[in-house]
Amino acid sequence: MSPGLVRRATVSAAAAATTGCALVQVFGDGGTLKDRGTLKTGTLEVLDPGGSLMAPAAVFWWLWLPVAALWLGYAVYQWLPRQRQNPRHNRLGWVVLAANTTALGWLMAVSLDSAPAVLSVAALQVAVGLTAVHLINREPAGSSTEGTLTDVALGWFLALAVLTLTTALSVLLTGHDVDLGGWGGTVWTLVGLISVTVGITVVCMTNRGHLPVALAAAAGLVCVTVERLAGSPGSFVIASSAAGAAFLVVVSSGSRRHHVDHERRISARRSTGGNHGGNDGGVEDQGDTPSDQADSNSDGCAVRPE
């Protein structure tokens, strides 16, 4: 049995399992994320919006549903005859499998309501997500479809992992009554927000900005803002800081994307000018070149025939 066949089969099985578990968690009886985004009642939950100052509104965790759906689409996509020999799948496909596996671990750890387990799984997820970003930077997707099924899904996955890590850690700190400088949890929550902002911004300063990562992280930070303004515990300081962090993340990603696209247009026009240097020593600006249009199809994708 070839390694490619093993990879396709295991990715398909893992994607189906992740999708099924996510649906059960959201819509099933006793599901952790059911009832319009509110968590199950009872003792303080790991992802309870009221569990700590860092916890986002529970609806944010519904992002697992589109992530699982994209992975299920990727599982089908990799079986297409034209994709079986795609060398990118030989590398990134295993990362998608690892992401699916840790996602299953996340769902099980949350259902067990174990903060240490969720924290451990989230740390693994962050490592897998960063590995995926590294591979995406090295080898862009060959089409907009491939970019959506892999780059977008893994970008959302990384954002979910980062927010899970900070939420689980904040629940542990809150449970142990950690106090820094007499300010309660406010100080270490601000430290957490700064860490998330810096970490996501560093990721977004590579390739074309990794906009899916930035938007998903910003959505989580906005959910933190809403929960701290409308929920309990409330904190205007944390709410305003989370909103500012969301703004900085999106602006950083957008600025990087604009800068890379601008440099590519300049390079393309210089190349065109070199090929037609006899046209009065200049080149007329004719808008985006075909290569520019290809670049805009996906985050860092250079479209090739599938």
Side-chain angles (χ1 to χ4, degrees):
M1 186 178 296
S2 67
L5 180 60
V6 172
R7 171 182 49 76
R8 290 192 293 272
T10 52
V11 167
S12 300
T18 301
T19 304
C21 288
L23 289 172
V24 169
Q25 289 282 23
V26 173
F27 300 111
D29 293 335
T32 306
L33 303 177
K34 66 175 296 186
D35 298 331
R36 297 182 181 179
T38 57
L39 300 178
K40 58 185 179 182
T41 58
T43 58
L44 191 65
E45 307 292 341
V46 177
L47 301 182
D48 189 340
S52 70
L53 291 171
M54 190 69 192
V59 70
F60 172 69
W61 307 115
W62 283 41
L63 185 58
W64 279 114
L65 285 178
V67 170
L70 288 176
W71 281 339
L72 197 60
Y74 174 74
V76 175
Y77 181 76
Q78 64 172 351
W79 285 99
L80 297 177
R82 289 173 294 181
Q83 296 300 320
R84 293 182 184 180
Q85 303 303 318
N86 186 342
R88 192 172 188 257
H89 297 319
N90 295 332
R91 290 175 285 275
L92 200 60
W94 295 109
V95 177
V96 173
L97 175 61
N100 272 278
T101 303
T102 56
L104 286 171
W106 185 96
L107 292 167
M108 289 187 289
V110 169
S111 65
L112 294 174
D113 190 27
S114 171
V118 173
L119 184 65
S120 301
V121 172
L124 288 175
Q125 288 180 319
V126 171
V128 172
L130 292 176
T131 301
V133 168
H134 174 67
L135 292 177
I136 291 170
N137 289 344
R138 289 181 54 189
E139 189 173 4
S143 67
S144 58
T145 300
E146 183 182 337
T148 300
L149 297 176
T150 57
D151 301 8
V152 172
L154 289 169
W156 290 351
F157 167 81
L158 177 58
L160 281 163
V162 170
L163 268 296
T164 299
L165 185 67
T166 55
T167 301
L169 182 58
S170 64
V171 167
L172 286 173
L173 293 175
T174 301
H176 289 84
D177 296 323
V178 175
D179 190 0
L180 296 179
W183 289 82
T186 303
V187 173
W188 54 256
T189 303
L190 288 174
V191 172
L193 287 173
I194 293 172
S195 300
V196 170
T197 305
V198 172
I200 296 296
T201 300
V202 169
V203 170
C204 293
M205 286 294 101
T206 63
N207 208 340
R208 289 184 68 226
H210 291 285
L211 192 58
V213 180
L215 292 178
L221 292 168
V222 169
C223 286
V224 173
T225 300
V226 172
E227 198 61 37
R228 297 292 71 81
L229 290 176
S232 178
S235 173
F236 179 77
V237 173
I238 299 303
S240 57
S241 299
F247 175 77
L248 288 175
V249 165
V250 173
V251 168
S252 298
S253 175
S255 297
R256 172 68 181 183
R257 192 181 187 91
H258 173 75
H259 174 74
V260 171
D261 288 349
H262 180 65
E263 291 296 324
R264 288 179 177 179
R265 283 192 290 269
I266 291 176
S267 178
R269 287 164 184 167
R270 285 176 177 171
S271 176
T272 305
N275 294 333
H276 302 84
N279 293 340
D280 298 329
V283 181
E284 182 181 356
D285 186 356
Q286 298 179 352
D288 287 350
T289 64
S291 62
D292 298 330
Q293 298 170 5
D295 288 335
S296 64
N297 285 334
S298 181
D299 190 43
C301 294
V303 177
R304 63 171 178 261
E306 296 182 357

Coordinates of all heavy atoms in Angstrom, one line a residue, residues 120-175:
S120 N -3.1 21.3 27.4 CA -2.1 20.4 26.7 C -2.4 20.2 25.3 O -1.5 20.3 24.4 CB -2.0 19.0 27.4 OG -1.7 19.2 28.8
V121 N -3.7 19.9 25.0 CA -4.1 19.8 23.6 C -3.9 21.0 22.8 O -3.4 21.0 21.6 CB -5.5 19.3 23.5 CG1 -6.0 19.3 22.0 CG2 -5.7 17.9 24.1
A122 N -4.2 22.2 23.4 CA -4.1 23.5 22.7 C -2.6 23.8 22.4 O -2.3 24.3 21.3 CB -4.7 24.6 23.6
A123 N -1.7 23.4 23.3 CA -0.3 23.6 23.0 C 0.1 22.8 21.8 O 0.9 23.3 21.0 CB 0.5 23.2 24.3
L124 N -0.3 21.5 21.7 CA 0.0 20.7 20.5 C -0.6 21.3 19.3 O 0.0 21.3 18.2 CB -0.6 19.3 20.7 CG 0.1 18.4 21.7 CD1 -0.6 17.1 21.9 CD2 1.6 18.1 21.3
Q125 N -1.8 21.9 19.4 CA -2.5 22.5 18.2 C -1.7 23.7 17.7 O -1.6 23.9 16.5 CB -3.9 22.9 18.6 CG -4.9 21.7 18.8 CD -6.3 22.2 19.1 OE1 -6.5 23.1 19.9 NE2 -7.3 21.5 18.5
V126 N -1.2 24.5 18.7 CA -0.4 25.7 18.3 C 0.8 25.2 17.5 O 1.2 25.8 16.5 CB 0.0 26.5 19.5 CG1 1.0 27.6 19.1 CG2 -1.3 27.2 20.1
A127 N 1.5 24.2 18.0 CA 2.7 23.6 17.3 C 2.3 23.2 15.9 O 3.0 23.4 14.9 CB 3.3 22.5 18.1
V128 N 1.2 22.4 15.8 CA 0.8 21.9 14.5 C 0.4 23.1 13.6 O 0.8 23.1 12.4 CB -0.5 21.0 14.6 CG1 -1.0 20.7 13.2 CG2 -0.1 19.7 15.3
G129 N -0.3 24.1 14.1 CA -0.7 25.3 13.3 C 0.5 26.1 12.8 O 0.6 26.5 11.6
L130 N 1.6 26.2 13.6 CA 2.8 26.9 13.2 C 3.5 26.1 12.2 O 4.1 26.7 11.2 CB 3.7 27.2 14.4 CG 3.1 28.2 15.4 CD1 4.0 28.4 16.6 CD2 2.9 29.6 14.8
T131 N 3.5 24.8 12.3 CA 4.1 24.0 11.3 C 3.4 24.2 9.9 O 4.0 24.2 8.9 CB 4.1 22.5 11.7 OG1 4.8 22.3 12.9 CG2 4.7 21.6 10.6
A132 N 2.1 24.2 10.0 CA 1.3 24.4 8.8 C 1.6 25.8 8.1 O 1.8 25.9 6.9 CB -0.2 24.3 9.1
V133 N 1.7 26.8 8.9 CA 2.1 28.1 8.4 C 3.4 28.1 7.7 O 3.6 28.7 6.6 CB 2.1 29.2 9.5 CG1 2.7 30.5 9.1 CG2 0.6 29.4 10.0
H134 N 4.4 27.4 8.3 CA 5.7 27.3 7.7 C 5.7 26.6 6.4 O 6.3 27.1 5.4 CB 6.6 26.5 8.7 CG 8.0 26.2 8.1 ND1 8.9 27.2 7.9 CD2 8.6 25.0 7.8 CE1 10.0 26.7 7.4 NE2 9.8 25.4 7.3
L135 N 4.9 25.5 6.3 CA 4.8 24.8 5.0 C 4.1 25.6 4.0 O 4.4 25.6 2.8 CB 4.1 23.5 5.2 CG 4.9 22.4 6.0 CD1 4.0 21.2 6.2 CD2 6.2 22.1 5.3
I136 N 3.0 26.3 4.4 CA 2.3 27.2 3.5 C 3.1 28.3 2.9 O 3.1 28.7 1.7 CB 1.0 27.8 4.2 CG1 0.0 26.7 4.5 CG2 0.4 28.9 3.4 CD1 -1.1 27.1 5.4
N137 N 4.0 28.9 3.8 CA 4.9 29.9 3.3 C 5.9 29.4 2.3 O 6.3 30.1 1.4 CB 5.7 30.5 4.5 CG 4.8 31.3 5.4 OD1 3.7 31.7 5.0 ND2 5.3 31.6 6.6
R138 N 6.4 28.1 2.5 CA 7.4 27.6 1.6 C 6.8 27.1 0.3 O 7.4 27.3 -0.8 CB 8.0 26.3 2.3 CG 8.9 26.7 3.4 CD 9.5 25.4 4.0 NE 10.2 24.6 3.0 CZ 10.7 23.4 3.1 NH1 10.5 22.8 4.3 NH2 11.3 22.7 2.2
E139 N 5.5 26.7 0.3 CA 4.9 26.1 -0.9 C 3.5 26.6 -1.0 O 2.6 25.9 -0.4 CB 5.0 24.6 -0.9 CG 4.6 23.9 -2.2 CD 4.9 22.4 -2.2 OE1 5.3 21.9 -1.2 OE2 4.6 21.8 -3.3
P140 N 3.2 27.7 -1.7 CA 1.8 28.2 -1.8 C 0.9 27.2 -2.5 O 1.3 26.3 -3.3 CB 2.0 29.5 -2.6 CG 3.4 29.8 -2.5 CD 4.2 28.5 -2.4
A141 N -0.4 27.3 -2.2 CA -1.4 26.5 -2.9 C -1.4 26.7 -4.4 O -1.1 27.8 -4.9 CB -2.8 26.7 -2.3
G142 N -1.7 25.6 -5.1 CA -1.7 25.7 -6.6 C -3.0 26.3 -7.2 O -3.1 26.5 -8.4
S143 N -4.1 26.4 -6.4 CA -5.3 27.0 -6.9 C -6.1 27.6 -5.7 O -5.8 27.4 -4.5 CB -6.2 25.9 -7.5 OG -6.6 24.9 -6.5
S144 N -7.1 28.4 -6.1 CA -7.9 29.0 -5.0 C -8.7 28.0 -4.2 O -8.9 28.1 -3.0 CB -8.8 30.0 -5.6 OG -9.7 29.4 -6.6
T145 N -9.1 26.9 -4.9 CA -9.8 25.8 -4.2 C -8.9 25.2 -3.2 O -9.3 25.0 -2.0 CB -10.3 24.8 -5.2 OG1 -11.2 25.4 -6.1 CG2 -11.1 23.7 -4.5
E146 N -7.7 24.8 -3.6 CA -6.8 24.2 -2.7 C -6.4 25.1 -1.5 O -6.3 24.7 -0.4 CB -5.5 23.8 -3.5 CG -4.5 23.1 -2.6 CD -3.2 22.8 -3.4 OE1 -3.3 22.7 -4.7 OE2 -2.2 22.6 -2.8
G147 N -6.3 26.4 -1.8 CA -5.9 27.4 -0.8 C -7.0 27.5 0.2 O -6.8 27.6 1.4
T148 N -8.3 27.5 -0.2 CA -9.4 27.5 0.7 C -9.5 26.3 1.6 O -9.7 26.4 2.8 CB -10.7 27.7 -0.1 OG1 -10.7 28.9 -0.8 CG2 -11.9 27.8 0.9
L149 N -9.3 25.1 1.0 CA -9.5 23.9 1.8 C -8.3 23.6 2.7 O -8.5 22.9 3.7 CB -9.6 22.7 0.8 CG -10.9 22.7 -0.1 CD1 -10.9 21.6 -1.1 CD2 -12.2 22.7 0.7
T150 N -7.2 24.2 2.4 CA -6.0 23.9 3.3 C -5.6 25.2 4.1 O -5.7 25.2 5.3 CB -4.8 23.4 2.5 OG1 -4.5 24.4 1.4 CG2 -5.1 22.1 1.8
D151 N -5.2 26.3 3.4 CA -4.7 27.4 4.0 C -5.7 28.1 4.9 O -5.4 28.5 6.1 CB -4.2 28.4 3.0 CG -3.1 27.8 2.1 OD1 -2.9 26.6 2.2 OD2 -2.5 28.6 1.3
V152 N -6.9 28.3 4.4 CA -7.9 29.0 5.2 C -8.3 28.1 6.5 O -8.4 28.6 7.6 CB -9.2 29.3 4.4 CG1 -10.3 29.8 5.3 CG2 -8.9 30.3 3.3
A153 N -8.5 26.8 6.2 CA -8.9 25.9 7.3 C -7.8 25.9 8.4 O -8.1 26.0 9.6 CB -9.2 24.5 6.8
L154 N -6.6 25.7 8.0 CA -5.5 25.7 8.9 C -5.2 27.0 9.6 O -4.8 27.1 10.8 CB -4.2 25.2 8.2 CG -4.2 23.7 7.8 CD1 -3.0 23.4 6.9 CD2 -4.2 22.8 9.1
G155 N -5.5 28.1 8.9 CA -5.4 29.4 9.6 C -6.5 29.6 10.7 O -6.1 30.1 11.8
W156 N -7.7 29.2 10.4 CA -8.7 29.3 11.4 C -8.4 28.3 12.6 O -8.6 28.7 13.8 CB -10.1 28.9 10.8 CG -10.6 29.9 9.9 CD1 -10.2 31.2 9.7 CD2 -11.8 29.7 9.0 NE1 -10.9 31.8 8.7 CE2 -11.9 31.0 8.3 CE3 -12.7 28.7 8.8 CZ2 -12.9 31.2 7.4 CZ3 -13.7 28.9 7.9 CH2 -13.8 30.1 7.2
F157 N -7.8 27.2 12.2 CA -7.4 26.2 13.3 C -6.4 26.8 14.2 O -6.5 26.7 15.4 CB -6.9 25.0 12.6 CG -6.1 24.0 13.4 CD1 -6.8 23.1 14.2 CD2 -4.7 24.0 13.5 CE1 -6.1 22.2 15.1 CE2 -4.0 23.1 14.3 CZ -4.7 22.2 15.1
L158 N -5.4 27.5 13.6 CA -4.4 28.1 14.5 C -4.9 29.2 15.4 O -4.6 29.2 16.6 CB -3.3 28.7 13.6 CG -2.1 29.5 14.3 CD1 -1.4 28.6 15.3 CD2 -1.1 30.1 13.3
A159 N -5.9 30.0 14.9 CA -6.5 31.0 15.7 C -7.3 30.4 16.9 O -7.2 30.8 18.0 CB -7.4 31.9 14.9
L160 N -8.0 29.3 16.6 CA -8.8 28.6 17.6 C -7.8 28.0 18.6 O -8.1 28.1 19.8 CB -9.6 27.5 17.0 CG -10.9 27.9 16.3 CD1 -11.4 26.8 15.4 CD2 -12.0 28.2 17.3
A161 N -6.7 27.5 18.2 CA -5.7 26.9 19.1 C -5.2 28.0 20.1 O -5.0 27.7 21.3 CB -4.6 26.2 18.3
V162 N -4.8 29.1 19.5 CA -4.3 30.2 20.4 C -5.3 30.7 21.4 O -4.9 30.8 22.6 CB -3.8 31.4 19.5 CG1 -3.4 32.6 20.3 CG2 -2.6 31.0 18.6
L163 N -6.5 30.9 21.0 CA -7.5 31.3 21.9 C -7.9 30.3 22.9 O -8.2 30.6 24.1 CB -8.8 31.8 21.2 CG -8.9 33.2 20.8 CD1 -9.0 34.1 22.0 CD2 -7.8 33.7 19.9
T164 N -7.8 29.0 22.5 CA -8.0 27.9 23.5 C -6.9 27.9 24.5 O -7.2 27.7 25.7 CB -8.1 26.6 22.8 OG1 -9.2 26.5 21.8 CG2 -8.3 25.4 23.8
L165 N -5.7 28.1 24.1 CA -4.6 28.0 25.0 C -4.7 29.1 26.0 O -4.5 28.9 27.2 CB -3.3 28.2 24.2 CG -2.0 28.1 24.9 CD1 -1.7 26.7 25.5 CD2 -0.8 28.5 24.0
T166 N -5.0 30.3 25.6 CA -5.1 31.4 26.6 C -6.3 31.3 27.5 O -6.2 31.6 28.7 CB -5.1 32.8 25.8 OG1 -6.2 32.8 24.9 CG2 -3.9 33.1 25.1
T167 N -7.4 30.8 26.9 CA -8.6 30.6 27.7 C -8.4 29.5 28.8 O -8.7 29.8 30.0 CB -9.8 30.2 26.9 OG1 -10.0 31.2 25.9 CG2 -11.1 30.0 27.7
A168 N -7.8 28.4 28.4 CA -7.6 27.3 29.4 C -6.6 27.8 30.5 O -6.8 27.5 31.7 CB -7.1 26.1 28.7
L169 N -5.6 28.5 30.0 CA -4.6 29.0 31.0 C -5.2 30.0 32.0 O -4.9 30.0 33.2 CB -3.4 29.6 30.3 CG -2.2 30.2 31.1 CD1 -1.6 29.0 32.0 CD2 -1.2 30.8 30.3
S170 N -6.1 30.9 31.4 CA -6.7 31.8 32.3 C -7.7 31.2 33.3 O -7.8 31.6 34.5 CB -7.5 32.9 31.5 OG -8.5 32.3 30.7
V171 N -8.3 30.1 32.9 CA -9.2 29.4 33.8 C -8.4 28.8 34.9 O -8.8 28.8 36.1 CB -10.0 28.3 33.1 CG1 -10.7 27.3 34.1 CG2 -11.1 28.9 32.2
L172 N -7.2 28.2 34.6 CA -6.3 27.6 35.6 C -5.9 28.7 36.6 O -5.8 28.5 37.8 CB -5.2 26.9 35.0 CG -5.5 25.6 34.3 CD1 -4.2 25.1 33.6 CD2 -5.9 24.5 35.4
L173 N -5.4 29.8 36.1 CA -5.0 30.9 36.9 C -6.1 31.5 37.8 O -5.9 31.8 39.0 CB -4.4 32.1 36.1 CG -3.1 31.7 35.3 CD1 -2.7 32.9 34.4 CD2 -2.0 31.4 36.2
T174 N -7.3 31.6 37.2 CA -8.4 32.1 38.0 C -8.8 31.1 39.1 O -9.0 31.5 40.3 CB -9.6 32.3 37.1 OG1 -9.3 33.2 36.1 CG2 -10.8 32.8 37.9
G175 N -8.7 29.8 38.8 CA -9.0 28.8 39.8 C -8.0 28.7 40.9 O -8.4 28.3 42.0

